[in-house]
Amino acid sequence: NIMYNITIKMFFKTSLVIITICFFYFNSYTQESDYFEYQNEVLWGINKNTNGGLIGGLNLKFGNKIKDNTYKVYGIELVNVKHPKEYKYTSPFGGDNFIWAKQNTMYSFRMQYGFEKSIFNKKDENGIQINANLTGGPSLGFLVPYYIRYNRNNAVVVEAFDSNIHNFNNVIGSAGFLEGINEAKIRPGVNLKSAVNFEFGSMKKGSIALEVGFLVEAFTKKMIIMPTVQNKSIFTSAFIALFYGRKWK
């Protein structure tokens, strides 16, 4: 986990360096062409963030032009938010993984509205367009009970984890990720996101975008993921997202 945290920090530091270099590089050019001007866009993708796993979540974004180089954007995200103290252990029963002391799995469904500004337009089809955006809106946090498969009297049972009744050495592994979804508790909240994205490709062939940014999210109550350690109601994260989609005039 130490190496994982170091890798994440280096990854985002490198991304910021790339953004800075690109900013000064493209700033040396004037915006002369509107060859890639568009009126509408729809993009979908996946993200990696400092609060998530290998794939942090899914993104969907819509945009409409309101004036030169300025777009109104709408977005939705569905992400898995992990506690920094979550550690995977291997069960002696078949080598399945589980997380000890985890009570709930947290998901966040985010709705976002804001604006995107084209900082640098493309000069040709092989160029890069750089945009900056600021969005925010309501969030719905879902706390889904964490279920495990457990060896109870030599029989396999599926139960919501409870450190008061479960023994570490009898855990077989995690249950399916949909287990307990009907018992989810919902917490309202808000989110605010700022990002810079780099767009490649043409309108005819489809658009690919790489987005890097930061997000803060707050809920009305603490989100209890692991009750034996500190939990919080405000979350911050850095993220990188890969988008693919279409633009049209």
Side-chain angles (χ1 to χ4, degrees):
N1 289 284
I2 294 176
M3 290 300 298
Y4 174 80
N5 291 332
I6 292 174
T7 302
I8 289 295
K9 290 179 181 178
M10 291 179 63
F11 176 78
F12 284 106
K13 285 181 180 179
T14 302
S15 299
L16 290 175
V17 170
I18 293 173
I19 291 173
T20 303
I21 292 173
C22 289
F23 178 85
F24 287 106
Y25 176 79
F26 284 98
N27 197 37
S28 63
Y29 294 89
T30 58
Q31 299 185 51
E32 299 172 352
S33 173
D34 63 350
Y35 181 74
F36 290 92
E37 282 288 313
Y38 56 92
Q39 299 293 329
N40 305 281
E41 70 172 352
V42 57
L43 299 169
W44 56 91
I46 58 175
N47 75 68
K48 167 72 176 175
N49 62 77
T50 50
N51 289 335
L54 181 61
I55 297 178
L58 305 174
N59 300 65
L60 181 63
K61 184 170 76 171
F62 304 90
N64 305 107
K65 184 176 180 180
I66 55 176
K67 62 181 181 179
D68 287 346
N69 297 317
T70 302
Y71 299 82
K72 180 170 53 178
V73 293
Y74 307 87
I76 56 175
E77 298 181 356
L78 178 62
V79 299
N80 175 211
V81 181
K82 294 181 177 291
H83 195 286
K85 296 295 184 180
E86 289 189 27
Y87 301 124
K88 284 187 177 180
Y89 296 91
T90 301
S91 169
F93 300 94
D96 289 342
N97 292 327
F98 67 94
I99 300 171
W100 181 252
K102 180 173 181 176
Q103 179 176 304
N104 294 299
T105 299
M106 177 181 168
Y107 299 98
S108 179
F109 179 72
R110 300 165 182 158
M111 293 156 278
Q112 296 160 340
Y113 169 80
F115 299 93
E116 184 168 274
K117 177 76 173 179
S118 296
I119 304 174
F120 304 106
N121 290 328
K122 292 184 179 184
K123 305 305 172 186
D124 56 57
E125 189 169 348
N126 296 318
I128 301 175
Q129 178 172 315
I130 302 180
N131 308 309
N133 63 66
L134 180 66
T135 59
S139 295
L140 290 177
F142 296 85
L143 290 172
V144 180
Y146 179 64
Y147 273 75
I148 59 171
R149 289 178 292 119
Y150 192 74
N151 179 15
R152 186 178 299 284
N153 300 323
N154 294 320
V156 179
V157 296
V158 176
E159 300 176 338
F161 177 81
D162 186 340
S163 58
N164 295 317
I165 63 173
H166 290 132
N167 184 293
F168 182 92
N169 294 320
N170 286 345
V171 180
I172 299 173
S174 297
F177 76 96
L178 291 179
E179 198 72 49
I181 194 73
N182 60 320
E183 303 172 50
K185 296 179 181 178
I186 303 176
R187 300 281 187 268
V190 294
N191 68 85
L192 180 66
K193 180 175 76 172
S194 62
V196 175
N197 64 59
F198 304 86
E199 294 189 3
F200 310 86
S202 65
M203 288 187 292
K204 293 182 180 179
K205 298 179 180 179
S207 178
I208 298 174
L210 186 67
E211 184 169 278
V212 181
F214 300 90
L215 180 139
V216 59
E217 186 170 41
F219 294 93
T220 55
K221 294 182 180 180
K222 285 186 177 181
M223 305 298 282
I224 308 300
I225 301 173
M226 302 182 71
T228 58
V229 294
Q230 184 177 8
N231 292 268
K232 55 188 178 181
S233 60
I234 300 176
F235 299 82
T236 58
S237 64
F239 68 88
I240 183 167
L242 179 64
F243 287 97
Y244 177 78
R246 295 286 179 182
K247 298 176 182 291
W248 64 95
K249 292 186 177 181

